[in-house]
Amino acid sequence: QVQLVESGGGLVQPGGSLRLSCAASKKFFTLNVMAWHRQAPGKARELVAHITSKGGTNYADVVKGRFTISRDNAKNTVDLQMNSLEPEDTAVYYCSFYGGPNLSSPLRYYWGQGTQVTVSS
């Protein structure tokens, strides 16, 4: 059973920064898109940013210019650097991998358990 584990969440003041990291419990044979999502209380989960296997990135409009996604293909990790945080960024953040851990594995999404980010003074 492959698990994704997020780290780096916490409480930060408005204008502050946090860096989230996500790692898999085992190395993937095929790893395509890696992404970060978030879900605020009472709202649907939304895509924050994703990065392809070749490094192409895409961001939600509300985080463009403030968040940066990066990946380490050798380590199968994905990070999210979050700067200029706002109270509206408060949410549980989830990472996702699309791929397969073994050569014979069907490609599918794998999800982390989430890490809380709270932006408050």
Side-chain angles (χ1 to χ4, degrees):
Q1 183 79 10
V2 176
Q3 293 183 329
L4 304 186
V5 179
E6 300 102 338
S7 61
L11 173 64
V12 64
Q13 292 187 343
S17 298
L18 281 175
R19 187 176 184 89
L20 304 182
S21 295
C22 177
S25 57
K26 66 171 290 185
K27 190 169 175 63
F28 276 58
F29 183 84
T30 302
L31 188 52
N32 295 334
V33 177
M34 304 169 81
W36 285 95
H37 311 252
R38 69 186 183 186
Q39 186 166 19
K43 295 188 177 181
R45 189 174 298 189
E46 63 177 355
L47 176 66
V48 175
H50 78 242
I51 183 166
T52 68
S53 58
K54 295 186 177 181
T57 59
N58 189 51
Y59 297 90
D61 287 343
V62 293
V63 306
K64 281 182 181 177
R66 300 188 297 123
F67 291 11
T68 302
I69 189 171
S70 60
R71 64 188 280 168
D72 186 323
N73 289 328
K75 296 180 179 178
N76 282 186
T77 59
V78 62
D79 291 350
L80 185 69
Q81 177 66 42
M82 305 185 295
N83 299 327
S84 302
L85 283 161
E86 304 168 352
E88 293 74 22
D89 296 316
T90 295
V92 178
Y93 284 70
Y94 301 87
C95 64
S96 70
F97 288 9
Y98 184 73
N102 303 305
L103 176 61
S104 59
S105 300
L107 302 185
R108 70 171 183 90
Y109 286 98
Y110 293 80
W111 290 87
Q113 293 298 308
T115 184
Q116 177 69 47
V117 171
T118 302
V119 184
S120 175
S121 55

